[in-house]
Amino acid sequence: MVVLAAGKGVRMNSRIPKVLHPVAGRPMLLWALAAAKAVDPERTLVVTNPDHDGVQAAVNGEGQTVPQREQLGTGHALAQVAAAHRGAGPVVVLYGDMPLLREETVTRLLKAHRKSAAAVTILTATFRDPTGYGRVVRSRNGLFRKIVEEKDASEEERGITEINSGVYCFSGRELWPALLKLENRNRAGEYYLTDAVRLVKGKVQTVEVDDPDEVLGINDRRQLAQAEATMRRRILDKLMADGVTVTDPATTYVDADVRVGRDSLIHPFSVLTGATSAGEDCVIGPFAQIRDSVIGDGCRIERAHIEASRLASNVTVGPFSRLRPGSDLDEGVKVGTHAEIKNSRIGAGTTISHFSCVLDSTVGANVNIGAGTITANYDGESKHRTDIGDRTQVGSDTIFVAPVTIGSDVYTGAGSVITRDVPAGSLAIARPEQKIVEGWTARRRARRKKAADVAPKAGTQKAGTREVGKR
Ligand code: UD1
Ligand code: CA
């Protein structure tokens, strides 16, 4: 099994190697690699460009890499496979830019090859618009003649809609000697693997793919978007089959590695990405964006942005709240509207219902964080923590100036700026004391009336204002 992935990907117009561009959250190479490994877990080689560090990292032991130092074409890429790996048995070759290929299709190709005595079995497809692909040229009686690349095709050949998918099963015995005979006398000046098909000695067999979508080759970003759309639909279909309700698949985006439990419901405009998992009976969305987070059972998340966080079961978040990395919410926590939480552990049953900012804090169980509370964590140089004990009632608009520790069963007065630790069971109020000036309103009104009576007329005043404006 060989996956070719060393190409430049010029048509992507990108600084990133083509095969690293993600499809449904996974580098496209890993999709092709997964299909290859599913068929032959033992011997999967990946031809890569040694200058593409990221590619080596992505392959990360999923396959053995073979360096192709110069990108002289797909035939040249395959020729980099060392003699030690050049067995006489079937060699399946696929390209790293076809993320939609299913393992079942590779298996079918391999089986068809084994059953026949062909020197090579090629997976083909019929596309309504074959632009960009190599065409399968046949003789009048339908026998395979050759693959011609679009660049080298005649007007008539370009009209052919049967294409070469880029998935082949060669007989090793025939393949390796044929690669030595490749030439690069073509428009691209490359050593085409497609020419090896002509050079192998023996029968050429073709197998047509059932679903042409599977062999979409990603050469540019338009095709990347196309692959993303198809993959997304596959992922959602799988989720629905697994018992998740997706209200509107057209506006729901779920990455490949996301898990969602049975009887959970995903409302429109929700985006679940990375290593996210959600439990059973959750209601997610509308407008939920969740990345790399673990969500328990029975959670309710609406119009919220959640990243690298953990929610135990029966947690409610939103609308309009943001959980930044390291938010760790225990059972039954309720985060309401316009709350921001970061790097904080929030104990079971605690509520943070309105307009609060809880940063670098540890909050106990059954605490009520009043509206407008802020744990001020940053002094301009470093970050500090706020600790709040169980059952504490934080009055609205309290500011905790960290580092500060608040005991259990504490009350803080609304509008307090808490700068010192508060022992358990106490009330802390830190705000100017209220002052009452009796009869003040009547005296003020009288003063204003007197001033208006002696003031110049409104018209004169306006002119004056305009003059100020001119200056
Ligand atoms: C190739 C086929 C074409 C087929 C199409 C299907 C050839 C000559 N043409 O064209 O018949 O219809 O795929 O999608 O094979 N690569 C290397 N080293 C290189 C060049 C390419 O490893 O020197 C890898 C690329 O990373 C890529 C794959 O081979 O994953 C295919 O290369 P690409 O340039 O995309 O070939 P196409 O022009 O699409
Ligand atoms: Ca391609």
Side-chain angles (χ1 to χ4, degrees):
M1 197 68 71
V2 186
V3 182
L4 305 186
K8 292 175 258 198
V10 177
R11 291 162 281 186
M12 289 296 277
N13 187 11
S14 174
R15 280 183 295 268
I16 306 164
K18 173 169 82 173
V19 293
L20 287 185
H21 281 264
V23 172
R26 240 185 233 171
M28 70 170 93
L29 170 60
L30 294 194
W31 285 105
L33 197 49
K37 279 197 72 179
V39 178
D40 185 357
E42 302 297 310
R43 287 157 303 167
T44 298
L45 303 177
V46 188
V47 179
T48 59
N49 177 341
D51 294 335
H52 293 167
D53 307 335
V55 178
Q56 320 291 325
V59 172
N60 184 29
E62 290 295 305
Q64 195 178 331
T65 57
V66 172
Q68 183 194 21
R69 281 169 220 289
E70 270 182 297
Q71 282 58 60
L72 303 179
T74 47
H76 178 261
L78 191 58
Q80 306 312 302
V81 169
H85 296 294
R86 297 185 173 201
V91 181
V92 177
V93 180
L94 34 111
Y95 294 167
D97 66 352
M98 36 195 325
L100 299 173
L101 182 68
R102 289 189 165 96
E103 60 170 273
E104 293 86 341
T105 304
V106 183
T107 306
R108 189 160 73 91
L109 183 81
L110 185 59
K111 272 196 185 142
H113 182 81
R114 285 209 163 110
K115 243 170 64 189
S116 74
V120 58
T121 306
I122 309 169
L123 187 68
T124 69
T126 303
F127 279 175
R128 227 180 321 137
D129 175 13
T131 310
Y133 292 88
R135 312 291 207 280
V136 176
V137 182
R138 293 181 182 275
S139 64
R140 246 175 242 290
N141 52 14
L143 284 179
F144 176 91
R145 272 188 48 216
K146 61 171 181 178
I147 296 167
V148 59
E149 291 306 297
E150 183 166 89
K151 278 184 188 156
D152 308 301
S154 66
E155 198 62 37
E156 196 188 335
E157 287 166 337
R158 284 180 191 218
I160 300 171
T161 54
E162 190 186 7
I163 62 102
N164 165 35
S165 72
V167 186
Y168 324 79
C169 184
F170 288 94
S171 145
R173 186 171 297 119
E174 301 302 327
L175 169 68
W176 307 115
L179 289 180
L180 300 175
K181 294 186 228 152
L182 287 181
E183 290 180 13
N184 63 351
R185 273 178 289 161
N186 50 54
R187 278 282 171 84
E190 290 185 355
Y191 297 92
Y192 290 160
L193 178 57
T194 44
D195 287 344
V197 169
R198 223 168 6 94
L199 296 170
V200 290
K201 289 203 195 78
K203 204 183 126 217
V204 176
Q205 177 182 226
T206 60
V207 169
E208 184 156 350
V209 70
D210 292 330
D211 170 10
D213 274 354
E214 276 190 53
V215 296
L216 174 72
I218 314 299
N219 296 327
D220 57 35
R221 299 201 197 222
R222 263 186 66 240
Q223 289 164 325
L224 181 66
Q226 221 175 312
E228 182 80 36
T230 305
M231 189 62 85
R232 185 158 71 87
R233 189 62 219 213
R234 273 192 203 171
I235 292 166
L236 294 175
D237 285 348
K238 170 87 170 49
L239 272 187
M240 291 187 273
D242 290 347
V244 176
T245 297
V246 178
T247 325
D248 180 22
T251 59
T252 305
Y253 302 78
V254 178
D255 270 359
D257 296 319
V258 171
R259 301 280 163 265
V260 182
R262 214 148 78 112
D263 287 321
S264 282
L265 197 159
I266 309 176
H267 282 306
F269 304 104
S270 294
V271 184
L272 278 59
T273 54
T276 290
S277 74
E280 300 188 350
D281 301 309
C282 290
V283 180
I284 297 170
F287 299 97
Q289 201 169 333
I290 307 175
R291 192 196 309 169
D292 295 327
S293 296
V294 177
I295 315 285
D297 294 333
C299 290
R300 176 82 188 87
I301 296 159
E302 191 187 341
R303 274 189 194 263
H305 193 289
I306 300 180
E307 189 185 348
S309 293
R310 186 194 72 99
L311 279 60
S313 47
N314 304 312
V315 169
T316 309
V317 180
F320 304 107
S321 279
R322 178 173 184 209
L323 305 188
R324 288 167 55 202
S327 299
D328 187 349
L329 279 49
D330 275 347
E331 165 90 29
V333 164
K334 194 168 162 278
V335 176
T337 305
H338 298 293
E340 176 175 338
I341 302 177
K342 182 209 88 175
N343 187 28
S344 294
R345 189 186 163 98
I346 313 295
T350 288
T351 58
I352 305 173
S353 299
H354 338 266
F355 309 99
S356 289
C357 186
V358 178
L359 311 171
D360 299 322
S361 300
T362 304
V363 179
N366 298 312
V367 170
N368 179 49
I369 302 281
T373 296
I374 294 171
T375 64
N377 63 329
Y378 188 49
D379 60 11
E381 277 159 19
S382 34
K383 306 274 170 78
H384 303 282
R385 295 198 66 88
T386 298
D387 263 287
I388 301 174
D390 296 340
R391 296 172 303 278
T392 284
Q393 302 294 305
V394 178
S396 295
D397 226 356
T398 298
I399 296 179
F400 294 105
V401 180
V404 70
T405 300
I406 313 300
S408 298
D409 302 295
V410 161
Y411 280 71
T412 69
S416 291
V417 178
I418 305 292
T419 54
R420 281 179 288 132
D421 292 355
V422 180
S426 12
L427 165 69
I429 303 186
R431 61 185 184 209
E433 206 158 332
Q434 188 166 314
K435 197 166 126 187
I436 305 284
V437 183
E438 272 180 36
W440 183 85
T441 309
R443 287 201 295 280
R444 177 178 191 268
R445 285 181 186 159
R447 263 200 318 273
R448 305 244 326 164
K449 187 163 181 298
K450 204 168 148 194
D453 288 347
V454 299
K457 287 218 171 65
T460 344
Q461 214 169 15
K462 253 188 200 160
T465 316
R466 226 175 279 140
E467 218 161 65
V468 171
K470 258 187 219 161
R471 258 189 270 137

